[in-house]
Amino acid sequence: LKTVIENQYFFEISNLATRVRAMLQAAIYSKSLRLPEAVAATPPVTLMQVDTAKMEDLSYSAHTLWDGIFQVCGYSFLLVRYLGMAGLAGLALLLACLPLTAWLQVKLSTLNKRALKA
């Protein structure tokens, strides 16, 4: 049942993301037609492709932000309930690894920015 509901949800989100991207591209294009060429510093095609793709990706990721918290809490509860102290040890390890994960994410982000500048 969870799979069917999630697949339907992602199908609807995919449709919504496509509509949002198309609307943003149309708005950017119509705005770029009204601007004088000297004012437009960034080519409209760049905005239409890159920035609208980022907005489309955001609509997919928004689900993970709120649903991920519920899944972690629910599965953690089940882990502790079925495994007892061993489940608590697993949760402690998970929480202990969070700072390392955050540090690695910052490093990867920095390397990604450097690679994009080069």
Side-chain angles (χ1 to χ4, degrees):
L1 182 63
K2 178 182 182 276
T3 304
V4 172
I5 292 171
E6 272 192 351
N7 282 339
Q8 183 63 31
Y9 173 81
F10 280 115
F11 174 74
E12 294 297 333
I13 287 296
S14 176
N15 286 339
L16 176 71
T18 304
R19 286 193 300 258
V20 166
R21 184 175 187 173
M23 289 182 350
L24 284 173
Q25 284 180 339
I28 291 170
Y29 183 72
S30 66
K31 175 85 175 193
S32 69
L33 290 178
R34 288 182 272 140
L35 288 175
E37 197 169 314
V39 174
T42 306
V45 174
T46 303
L47 290 173
M48 287 171 45
Q49 291 177 348
V50 176
D51 294 344
T52 56
K54 288 180 183 178
M55 292 301 294
E56 185 179 23
D57 292 342
L58 177 67
S59 63
Y60 292 120
S61 301
H63 169 70
T64 307
L65 289 175
W66 67 269
D67 184 51
I69 295 169
F70 289 124
Q71 286 190 15
V72 167
C73 291
Y75 293 140
S76 298
F77 171 75
L78 291 174
L79 187 68
V80 171
R81 178 160 183 189
Y82 290 125
L83 297 179
M85 291 304 286
L88 284 175
L91 285 176
L93 182 63
L94 174 77
L95 292 175
C97 289
L98 282 178
L100 175 64
T101 304
W103 178 77
L104 286 173
Q105 185 62 38
V106 169
K107 284 294 198 188
L108 285 173
S109 177
T110 305
L111 290 173
N112 190 21
K113 286 179 185 176
R114 254 192 244 157
L116 288 175
K117 285 183 182 178

